[in-house]
Amino acid sequence: MANEAMEATVKEALEMFRPQLQADGGDMEYVGIDDDGKVHLKLTGACGSCPMALMTLKMGIERYLKDACPEVTEVVQDNAPDYGEEMPY
């Protein structure tokens, strides 16, 4: 598990990013940080079912968190839809 200082930094950064998701009818829930530095989130609202959620996660939230907390290695969506080999569009 991540140390308390890292977790506090991540949570603070997520709170700063949250209004951008809420402006589009979405939100996120913090799940935790694993030993590899991966931040686990659940995207909710409009973000939970949006086909662009992966891009928002990687190009938005992940990049923002890595700037705020360099110990973050990746951001993953715990409730991502499983499309298998098919693309959602």
Side-chain angles (χ1 to χ4, degrees), residues 17 20-21 41 43 52-67 74-76:
F17 194 89
Q20 295 180 46
L21 297 177
L41 300 176
L43 297 180
M52 299 302 288
L54 182 60
M55 185 175 290
T56 299
L57 192 74
K58 294 296 181 180
M59 300 303 292
I61 300 170
E62 183 175 290
R63 189 160 71 183
Y64 190 82
L65 282 181
K66 283 182 172 182
D67 284 345
E74 186 179 9
V75 176
V76 294

Side-chain angles (χ1 to χ4, degrees), residues 9-88:
T9 300
V10 166
K11 286 181 175 181
E12 182 178 338
L14 290 174
E15 287 304 316
M16 297 296 289
F17 194 89
R18 175 171 269 121
Q20 295 180 46
L21 297 177
Q22 291 173 335
D24 290 326
D27 207 347
M28 64 184 151
E29 294 176 20
Y30 172 79
V31 176
I33 304 172
D34 65 22
D35 292 335
D36 296 326
K38 292 181 185 176
V39 175
H40 295 260
L41 300 176
K42 289 184 180 178
L43 297 180
T44 61
C47 293
S49 59
C50 176
M52 299 302 288
L54 182 60
M55 185 175 290
T56 299
L57 192 74
K58 294 296 181 180
M59 300 303 292
I61 300 170
E62 183 175 290
R63 189 160 71 183
Y64 190 82
L65 282 181
K66 283 182 172 182
D67 284 345
C69 186
E71 296 91 349
V72 171
T73 59
E74 186 179 9
V75 176
V76 294
Q77 181 182 354
D78 280 2
N79 62 333
D82 182 12
Y83 295 113
E85 295 295 319
E86 297 180 32
M87 296 303 291

